[in-house]
Amino acid sequence: MYESIELNETECEALLRAGIVGRAAACTPDGPHVVPVNYSIFDDAVVFRTTPYSILGSQPRRSVIALEIDHFDTEHQRGWSVVARGRAEMVTDAAELEDIRSTWDPGTWAAGARILYVRMRWSQLTGRRLGSGWDLMATVPGRRAV
């Protein structure tokens, strides 16, 4: 068994910037809600798209949300996880939306119009890994060239 090793903020940010898919989490009156999302990083913030009537799109503005990304290697029993936490805000400025779309639009895989852009500037970035002596960046699922 491997010991759990905390990642520093620089390592967490590098993994977050390289990823494409994660799980967004929000607290709702019915309890926690977790949804897979495609995301991008724009101006030191996580940006993803959703529908206005979804759980994530209908959360009160400035509510605290989280995004978690990870990788598990079951063969070698090792892996890593990064969690970014911050307040959700809707991106509504037309010029800012155009900048996001032209830089790295967080595409969607699911059918339907995901017209609402949600931004989360992380206030907390934490992570950990199991095992050492391997390249965490090489394991980022769907790795984005950074």
Side-chain angles (χ1 to χ4, degrees):
M1 280 193 200
Y2 293 111
E3 180 180 342
S4 177
I5 302 166
E6 284 194 39
L7 300 174
N8 64 42
E9 191 167 333
T10 302
E11 293 169 310
C12 291
E13 186 173 340
L15 290 165
L16 185 64
R17 286 183 179 280
I20 295 173
V21 177
R23 285 166 295 288
C27 295
T28 72
D30 294 328
H33 189 78
V34 181
V35 179
V37 296
N38 292 33
Y39 73 93
S40 64
I41 303 296
F42 184 79
D43 284 346
D44 293 331
V46 171
V47 177
F48 61 88
R49 293 165 49 185
T50 190
T51 60
Y53 53 84
S54 69
I55 294 283
L56 293 171
S58 62
Q59 287 298 297
R61 303 316 183 237
R62 305 287 302 148
S63 61
V64 176
I65 63 172
L67 181 86
E68 192 263 348
I69 62 170
D70 54 35
H71 171 73
F72 301 102
D73 177 347
T74 56
E75 181 179 344
H76 297 101
Q77 297 180 340
R78 61 187 183 190
W80 57 264
S81 174
V82 170
V83 177
R85 293 174 188 83
R87 297 206 175 268
E89 54 189 27
M90 305 310 143
V91 181
T92 57
D93 180 76
E96 191 173 12
L97 284 168
E98 183 54 37
D99 283 347
I100 291 169
R101 289 180 186 124
S102 65
T103 303
W104 197 295
D105 194 20
T108 61
W109 294 350
R114 292 188 168 41
I115 59 172
L116 184 61
Y117 284 69
V118 178
R119 172 180 41 223
M120 179 198 60
R121 295 185 194 284
W122 57 84
S123 57
Q124 185 179 36
L125 198 53
T126 59
R128 63 183 56 122
R129 71 181 202 182
L130 295 177
S132 59
W134 52 288
D135 181 6
L136 276 63
M137 289 299 291
T139 65
V140 175
R143 185 169 180 206
R144 169 179 302 152
V146 292

